[in-house]
Amino acid sequence: MRGSPDLITIPARRGKAARVKAGQVVTVINTHGQQVVDTWAFAAGDLGEFMSMEHSRAAMRKIVPEVDDTFVTNRRRPILEVIEDTTPGVHDTLLAACDSYRYVQLGAAGYHDNCTDNLAAAMRELGVAAPTTPAPLNLFMNIPIVDGRRLDFQPPVSRPGQYIAFRAAMDLIIAFSACPQDLLPINGVDCRPTEAHFTVV
Amino acid sequence: MRGSPDLITIPARRGKAARVKAGQVVTVINTHGQQVVDTWAFAAGDLGEFMSMEHSRAAMRKIVPEVDDTFVTNRRRPILEVIEDTTPGVHDTLLAACDSYRYVQLGAAGYHDNCTDNLAAAMRELGVAAPTTPAPLNLFMNIPIVDGRRLDFQPPVSRPGQYIAFRAAMDLIIAFSACPQDLLPINGVDCRPTEAHFTVV
């Protein structure tokens, strides 16, 4: 996987998007093991239709997906099916993408890279604009639920090179952000965001 | 509470919205005890800013709010603070509003009332249009998390007349839908949606 000529880099603290045809497989690799990758998918024909966490949780009847679960759009159509996951299966569907407002609240001085702006920039590279920032699928993000109610923010439990793979159920645009969060340990206890990689084959 | 002249009806299977000033208290009453009430709040000055479940979960570090927790908008500003809850505290922030697509999948014959259309109709009554259907706060909805991952769909545990109250942190429009779901027992084992009520004082 790591040596594949098809490997596309999601640079540290940055976003990257790609066009995917129905039936193709998107594999997201946690190259260094501790990087959260915010993930979005938009219907190629209408960016107003997109992978929706709140619709997918209802469809899957789960908070966290497993192999054979299928994410759906805000129109409840299948968009991404989980076909393989070599990580321990810890991902987050609950939390918003980080944004400029978040980093102001966390006390960041000046502009801080953020997943919301990274999504917009990644889409711009493809010549398109998302009409909104949907709630993301936060791959490799470890947000345990305590006592059935409270959320804890913990470092990822994945190891370098572990990956999760999805089959596209429609033509779509996939977009990623290597989360630039360095004020909380969600990208590892070192708070040092890294690159990640993906393939579309 | 039930005899208050300020009591506003959310008709069974329908929506209702109202304007609320900062500092006012919105009280939502589960009049018959088993009715889920989908709830949205939009900033009065810009309907593109609204109460966001995915931002609120991050701010509260909880899946389900309790008294003294504050919901925030998609710009992370406080919008509704929980100030009282006489129910057992079981509400849902995880699931999308029901919509026409949902009822087609559940096998409903013809058009079925749904919370998404109810939101649009309620906003129209006030002469405005929401630019999107945000993920709702599903008051009184009982979606237990099983094994930290799976979701169960259960009837409400609230009793007739129990209520939850919020203080508005900004001028806003509050919108409700008495969920018309009658194919799953989320509005009670009888699958019979009822009216609910609210006050703004």
Side-chain angles (χ1 to χ4, degrees), chain A residues 23-104:
Chain A
Q24 284 191 304
V25 172
V26 180
T27 302
V28 190
I29 307 143
N30 203 346
T31 313
H32 302 285
Q34 293 285 288
Q35 181 60 45
V36 168
V37 178
D38 283 38
T39 301
W40 297 267
F42 297 85
D46 175 1
L47 301 184
E49 181 173 8
F50 47 77
M51 179 169 71
S52 165
M53 293 303 107
E54 59 263 31
H55 294 80
S56 295
R57 284 188 294 261
M60 302 186 302
R61 292 193 170 213
K62 286 181 192 168
I63 288 189
V64 184
E66 297 171 289
V67 170
D68 292 336
D69 285 328
T70 298
F71 285 88
V72 301
T73 70
N74 51 334
R75 294 175 202 161
R76 307 207 190 241
R77 295 200 300 156
I79 184 163
L80 284 178
E81 180 192 0
V82 183
I83 60 170
E84 190 180 4
D85 187 359
T86 71
T87 79
V90 174
H91 310 284
D92 171 72
T93 70
L94 299 174
L95 300 186
C98 62
D99 49 34
S100 57
Y101 312 107
R102 176 74 161 156
Y103 289 105
V104 168

Side-chain angles (χ1 to χ4, degrees), chain B residues 36-118:
Chain B
V36 168
V37 178
D38 283 39
T39 301
W40 298 267
F42 297 85
D46 176 0
L47 302 184
E49 181 173 8
F50 47 78
M51 178 168 71
S52 165
M53 292 304 105
E54 59 263 31
H55 293 80
S56 295
R57 284 188 294 262
M60 302 186 303
R61 292 192 170 213
K62 287 181 191 167
I63 288 189
V64 184
E66 298 172 289
V67 171
D68 293 337
D69 284 330
T70 298
F71 285 88
V72 301
T73 69
N74 52 332
R75 294 176 202 161
R76 307 206 189 239
R77 294 201 301 156
I79 184 164
L80 284 177
E81 180 193 0
V82 183
I83 60 170
E84 190 180 4
D85 187 359
T86 71
T87 78
V90 174
H91 311 283
D92 171 71
T93 70
L94 299 175
L95 300 186
C98 62
D99 50 33
S100 56
Y101 312 106
R102 175 73 161 157
Y103 289 106
V104 168
Q105 289 180 347
L106 289 173
Y111 180 78
H112 194 289
D113 296 322
N114 63 81
C115 289
T116 298
D117 289 354
N118 285 349

Side-chain angles (χ1 to χ4, degrees), chain B residues 158-175:
Chain B
S158 41
R159 293 191 304 277
Q162 289 186 329
Y163 61 86
I164 183 170
F166 304 88
R167 182 175 289 115
M170 63 173 72
D171 292 355
L172 58 86
I173 293 176
I174 193 95

